[in-house]
């Protein structure tokens, strides 16, 4: 199950730290690899569930990034 999934009763109480973000990025990497593998085997319909999880994770990461003050955001040069 995705690390981005948080039950309703726990929402807003989870601490976002570097370790959590790293695990989420690694999970996204695995999801992308699974999606590519299924698509290369002609099983596009089988990868839909992974695409949904990936989408949820990306929205979660974008929400965190948008909530960060500009001075704390890291830029890639």
């Amino acid at each position: 199950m995705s690390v981005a999934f948080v039950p309703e009763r726990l929402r807003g109480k989870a601490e976002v730290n570097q370790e959590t973000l790293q695990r989420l990025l690694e999970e996204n990497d695995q999801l992308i690899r699974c999606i590519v593998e299924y698509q290369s085997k002609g099983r596009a319909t089988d990868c839909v569930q992974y695409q949904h999880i990936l989408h949820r994770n990306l929205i979660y990461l974008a929400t965190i990034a948008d909530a960060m003050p500009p001075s704390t955001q890291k830029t890639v040069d």
Side-chain angles (χ1 to χ4, degrees):
M1 174 151 314
S2 174
V3 294
F5 174 77
V6 179
E8 187 71 38
R9 60 184 162 74
L10 297 176
R11 289 193 183 158
K13 298 177 183 170
E15 182 180 330
V16 178
N17 56 37
Q18 190 65 35
E19 181 182 331
T20 303
L21 294 176
Q22 186 60 43
R23 285 190 328 181
L24 192 55
L25 291 171
E26 290 169 4
E27 179 180 352
N28 287 352
D29 179 63
Q30 283 300 110
L31 287 167
I32 292 168
R33 290 174 192 273
C34 287
I35 292 166
V36 169
E37 182 179 338
Y38 276 125
Q39 288 178 341
S40 69
K41 293 180 179 179
R43 298 174 56 188
T45 56
D46 293 333
C47 67
V48 171
Q49 65 183 357
Y50 299 114
Q51 290 171 329
H52 286 290
I53 296 169
L54 178 62
H55 179 262
R56 182 176 60 199
N57 288 356
L58 293 172
I59 295 298
Y60 179 74
L61 288 170
T63 302
I64 292 169
D66 287 345
M68 292 179 66
S71 61
T72 61
Q73 292 182 355
K74 294 182 180 179
T75 60
V76 177
D77 294 326

